Amino acid sequence: MTLTQAAIRPVARPSRTSAGQAELYGAVKAMAVRFEFKPGERINEVELARRLNVSRTPLREVLNQLMVEGFLTRSLNRGFIARLLDARQIHSLYEYRAVLEAGIVRAACERATDEELASLRAFVERSRDEPEDSDAARLLELDEAFHLALARYSRNDEFVRALESVNARIHFVRWIDMQQGRRSHTQGEHLRIVQALERRDVDALPALISAHIGRRLDQITDVIRTGYSTIYMRDQAGPATTAPANTTTAGEIE
C-alpha cells in the first residue's frame, strides 16, 4: 500500500500517546521520504506545526527522531534542515544495501521453507504480469515487497529493520530510477534470485543480489539530476509527479 496525499492532511491534535505520536511521525516521515522538504531547506517548525495541527513539542520530538534516522540535519543557527540529495551519500547507501542483502539472501537460502520459496516464485510470476506502463509507484511497491520477503525469510528481525531503514532513505531515488525503465531488468533478476534459492545455491546468491542492487556513481548522479528536476517542478505539475512514501512492510507476500 502506498501513502496517499490524504496521509499528510492536517491530523487531529494528538494527545501525548504513543498512537498519536506514531501518527505524527508517519506523516512527517512521509514528507521527508518524498522530499516535500526541499534539499537543504530549513524546516519552519511553527508553519509545519500549524499545517499538521499539532503543538511544537511532539513535532520537535519527531524531527529529532528523523534527524537520527538520516532524513534531516540540524544547524545551531538554522534549526532542522532537510537532507541533501547527494550522489555520494546515495551511492554509499546502495553499497550498504548490497552488503546487507547479501547477508539476507544467504540466511534466507538456509532458513526459508520450500513453501515460502514457492510463494515467492508465485509472487514474482504475478508481478511479471503487471503492465509495462504501470505507475512507477506500483512497480517500486512490488520490488520492495520482494526484498522485504527475503528479509523475513532470513528469520532475523534486525535484517528486516535494517532493510526497511535503508529502503526509506533511498526510496525517492529508486522511484525515479523505476520511472526510467528498470522494469524488465528487475523482474528477470528477481526470477534468477528465486531460482538460486530453490536450488539452495548459497554461493551464487551474493553475486546475483549484488548485480541486481548495485549502481555506479555516475548512474546515481544521472538519477539524482532527474530527481532535482522532479522536486522543483512538481509544484507546477501537480500531484501526478509526487513520489509515494515508503510504506511497504515485510508481510505483503502471502
Side-chain angles (χ1 to χ4, degrees):
M1 180 183 298
T2 56
L3 190 68
T4 65
Q5 287 296 101
I8 61 166
R9 289 200 300 255
V11 295
R13 183 179 298 275
S15 63
R16 296 303 301 280
T17 64
S18 57
Q21 195 71 354
E23 181 183 8
L24 178 60
Y25 168 82
V28 181
K29 182 177 180 180
M31 298 167 75
V33 164
R34 58 184 174 234
F35 281 93
E36 290 194 29
F37 307 126
K38 294 181 174 63
E41 175 186 11
R42 175 182 172 272
I43 308 300
N44 186 322
E45 293 181 44
V46 174
E47 180 182 323
L48 184 59
R50 185 182 302 117
R51 176 181 176 183
L52 297 175
N53 193 29
V54 297
S55 66
R56 289 182 64 185
T57 299
L59 176 61
R60 191 172 293 115
E61 291 176 5
V62 166
L63 294 174
N64 272 307
Q65 181 61 34
L66 292 174
M67 180 182 68
V68 170
E69 295 174 7
F71 292 99
L72 305 172
T73 60
R74 190 169 188 173
S75 166
L76 181 62
N77 297 320
R78 297 182 64 204
F80 292 101
I81 300 169
R83 62 180 171 145
L84 296 175
L85 192 51
D86 179 77
R88 292 194 178 277
Q89 182 185 46
I90 297 296
H91 185 251
S92 295
L93 288 168
Y94 269 93
E95 285 190 332
Y96 168 62
R97 181 185 172 214
V99 172
L100 173 65
E101 291 215 45
I104 286 172
V105 291
R106 282 184 174 276
C109 187
E110 296 170 356
R111 300 168 186 170
T113 66
D114 291 342
E115 291 76 16
E116 286 170 332
L117 295 183
S119 176
L120 188 61
R121 173 183 275 273
F123 173 80
V124 170
E125 291 175 348
R126 289 195 307 272
S127 298
R128 294 176 75 184
D129 294 333
E130 195 77 18
E132 288 291 332
D133 59 353
S134 293
D135 183 73
R138 172 59 178 164
L139 301 180
L140 181 53
E141 179 184 346
L142 293 171
D143 183 75
E144 289 181 341
F146 173 82
H147 288 276
L148 285 168
L150 292 176
R152 188 178 76 246
Y153 297 160
S154 76
R155 305 292 190 268
N156 186 319
D157 290 341
E158 296 303 323
F159 276 152
V160 175
R161 278 190 284 269
L163 185 58
E164 288 176 334
S165 174
V166 73
N167 275 351
R169 293 179 68 189
I170 62 174
H171 184 82
F172 180 81
V173 173
R174 296 198 64 234
W175 175 67
I176 296 293
D177 198 20
M178 199 66 72
Q179 287 184 314
Q180 296 182 333
R182 283 284 305 166
R183 166 69 172 167
S184 59
H185 297 290
T186 296
Q187 294 306 309
E189 290 162 2
H190 283 181
L191 183 57
R192 286 191 287 276
I193 290 166
V194 172
Q195 289 168 340
L197 286 166
E198 291 171 334
R199 297 193 306 269
R200 306 292 175 172
D201 191 349
V202 70
D203 293 328
L205 281 163
L208 286 172
I209 204 75
S210 179
H212 175 55
I213 291 171
R215 295 291 184 278
R216 300 189 313 271
L217 182 59
D218 63 314
Q219 293 172 318
I220 291 172
T221 300
D222 287 342
V223 172
I224 284 178
R225 188 177 297 114
T226 302
Y228 268 107
S229 297
T230 300
I231 290 168
Y232 287 100
M233 291 177 64
R234 65 185 168 197
D235 290 343
Q236 292 87 16
T241 59
T242 300
N246 166 256
T247 58
T248 305
T249 65
E252 293 197 9
I253 296 178
E254 297 299 333

